[in-house]
Amino acid sequence: MKLRIAMFGLLLSCAGFASENKIDTLTQWQAEVANTEFSGVIIAAQNGQVVFRDQYGYANREAKRLFTHDTVFDIGSITKQFVGTAITQLAEQNKLQLDSSLEVFFEQVPEDKKHITVHHLLTHTSGLSQNLEHYLYDEVTKSDMIKQALTSKLNTSPGEQYRYSNIGYNLLGAIIEKVTGDEWEKYIRTTLLLPAGLENTGFRGVSYQPISLAINYGRDANFIQRMFSITPKTRSVDHSLAHYYKKPGPRWAMEGAGSFMSNTNDMFKWYLALREGKLISAKSWQLITSKHIHENDAQTSHYGYGWAIDSNSRGDKRITHNGSNGYSFAVFNYYPELDGFVFIGSNNIDDFPEQLMAKLDELVIKPVIN
């Protein structure tokens, strides 16, 4: 299965559902969602307690299997927050320095890459391109990934500007392995996921029951459909681990930058771990969620270490990231000042009602009244 390579982008660009109705209540919102083709799961919490939980449509249309909160799906670039936390944790333990250059970790670094630091990789300011010249699920070894990354042409000078780069996070996965002597996923599972109770989050390190995996769907147009602007029907492209189960091997076009699967139960546990400060110090959390670089010219959104920092339409500070493999879509929104959290996961990005989903947070997360 060759998935769309333009994956893991932070901003959703699919055509969303635009409601003409004013939505003031959660009941109205749910009625609107019921009129869309959305399939997926939603969970929201505030002050450590679940305040909203719902599921819509089929995780597997062919088997008529509905979504549940045990359904496992691809979370794409939400993986980056775990990588960013792991790197910061290693820095906290003095096992690496955030200002160390690539030369500390890799051999034969060319002159134009010698000034790229760990910080640059974390903040998408390395100048590296977005993706390797591979399809998402191609077999790519770590050594091939490193070689391609180091020999590729930089788009900008290191530290000059924000340019979203999955290659940067591929390299961070390799740095975790270099520093710890362990596989990057295994290290993250051991030090972050399992201590926080996330037993169903991972890639090759979790033995998933096939019945729990969501099938992905998409509207890939053929030549004729594109020529005559015909909207294709959605079709199954299998679940996100099918490629690996059929042909195990390294997938360094996405490792470190994505690849993790999860469910809403685990994402709720991750929110609890964040709010309770279980895994890293307050100083490190501040570093992870600092506004290191602006993502847009308006400077309304910034990037930290594996997280974006912005505000919702109400002005509430939001720490967020989304992820996609081109078919699935997931978004994790955390409101630290309101102690609120909203997570949405879907197996069909083409029918994701973006504008409608954007209204949910302010309906379920209550503002703090002074």
Side-chain angles (χ1 to χ4, degrees):
M1 178 171 53
K2 295 181 177 180
L3 288 212
R4 305 167 182 172
I5 194 61
M7 46 77 72
F8 301 139
L10 190 65
L11 297 179
L12 179 64
S13 60
C14 68
F17 168 87
S19 172
E20 297 180 356
N21 301 323
K22 191 174 189 299
I23 299 174
D24 296 313
T25 69
L26 187 57
T27 300
Q28 289 176 313
W29 183 89
Q30 289 175 292
E32 293 280 4
V33 174
N35 288 325
T36 73
E37 297 298 320
F38 173 67
S39 57
V41 279
I42 301 170
I43 187 170
Q46 192 164 22
N47 301 319
Q49 301 296 318
V50 174
V51 294
F52 180 71
R53 188 196 298 258
D54 211 348
Q55 56 277 328
Y56 301 83
Y58 291 108
N60 185 328
R61 298 176 188 176
E62 292 72 27
K64 303 297 182 185
R65 187 175 301 124
L66 295 169
F67 262 102
T68 74
H69 291 277
D70 293 316
T71 301
V72 173
F73 43 82
D74 198 321
I75 62 171
S77 275
I78 291 176
T79 305
K80 288 183 173 70
Q81 62 194 247
F82 299 107
V83 172
T85 303
I87 288 288
T88 310
Q89 186 184 64
L90 289 169
E92 189 178 87
Q93 298 167 357
N94 294 317
K95 294 181 179 179
L96 62 75
Q97 302 298 316
L98 296 173
D99 60 359
S100 290
S101 71
L102 294 188
E103 286 186 290
V104 173
F105 311 102
F106 307 112
E107 298 177 355
Q108 298 180 325
V109 177
E111 192 64 34
D112 66 331
K113 313 291 191 314
K114 287 183 178 180
H115 297 294
I116 297 176
T117 66
V118 174
H119 172 82
H120 292 145
L121 298 179
L122 287 164
T123 56
H124 299 295
T125 56
S126 65
L128 291 165
S129 297
Q130 182 172 359
N131 299 304
L132 297 177
E133 294 182 357
H134 287 276
Y135 285 104
L136 177 59
Y137 291 157
D138 283 354
E139 280 192 76
V140 181
T141 66
K142 181 170 62 174
S143 60
D144 283 346
M145 177 275 292
I146 294 170
K147 182 179 179 180
Q148 287 186 49
L150 295 182
T151 58
S152 64
K153 182 180 179 180
L154 290 181
N155 294 306
T156 62
S157 298
E160 185 174 273
Q161 68 181 70
Y162 172 90
R163 291 286 292 264
Y164 195 86
S165 175
N166 291 308
I167 296 175
Y169 273 77
N170 298 146
L171 289 173
L172 288 169
I175 287 172
I176 290 173
E177 297 195 347
K178 178 76 171 182
V179 171
T180 66
D182 215 340
E183 293 183 353
W184 73 276
E185 180 193 358
K186 184 178 179 182
Y187 177 80
I188 289 174
R189 279 185 59 77
T190 301
T191 60
L192 297 178
L193 303 182
L194 295 181
L198 279 67
E199 297 180 354
N200 294 293
T201 301
F203 173 38
R204 59 172 62 87
V206 185
S207 297
Y208 295 112
Q209 295 296 321
I211 196 172
S212 71
L213 296 170
I215 301 298
N216 298 315
Y217 297 89
R219 297 182 183 274
D220 291 334
N222 59 33
F223 175 76
I224 298 298
Q225 289 167 332
R226 289 194 296 270
M227 178 180 291
F228 294 99
S229 300
I230 299 171
T231 301
K233 295 181 179 180
T234 57
R235 65 178 182 86
S236 166
V237 292
D238 217 331
H239 61 74
S240 296
L241 292 176
H243 66 100
Y244 182 73
Y245 289 170
K246 292 173 183 176
K247 193 175 182 181
R251 299 292 195 278
W252 280 94
M254 67 173 183
E255 297 200 40
S259 77
F260 274 10
M261 310 284 287
S262 192
N263 61 23
T264 56
N265 296 322
D266 270 18
M267 291 294 93
F268 173 65
K269 292 175 184 177
W270 182 236
Y271 150 70
L272 293 178
L274 295 178
R275 71 185 293 271
E276 293 167 8
K278 285 183 175 180
L279 303 171
I280 54 173
S281 68
K283 182 178 179 181
S284 290
W285 176 244
Q286 178 63 38
L287 187 62
I288 288 171
T289 58
S290 291
K291 298 179 179 180
H292 293 292
I293 185 76
H294 58 83
E295 296 183 296
N296 54 9
D297 292 338
Q299 299 190 24
T300 56
S301 181
H302 296 73
Y303 206 84
Y305 287 175
W307 292 92
I309 302 93
D310 65 4
S311 299
N312 63 12
S313 61
R314 195 168 60 192
D316 304 317
K317 179 181 178 181
R318 176 171 57 194
I319 301 171
T320 182
H321 214 293
N322 65 28
S324 174
N325 63 9
Y327 296 99
S328 65
F329 180 73
V331 59
F332 189 114
N333 292 334
Y334 177 46
Y335 296 91
E337 295 170 356
L338 304 180
D339 192 8
F341 147 79
V342 177
F343 178 84
I344 305 170
S346 176
N347 60 346
N348 180 14
I349 192 173
D350 290 333
D351 291 320
F352 186 85
E354 179 183 3
Q355 295 181 42
L356 184 56
M357 289 298 170
K359 300 176 184 291
L360 175 63
D361 294 24
E362 293 173 32
L363 293 173
V364 295
I365 304 299
K366 304 304 179 185
V368 174
I369 299 175
N370 296 320

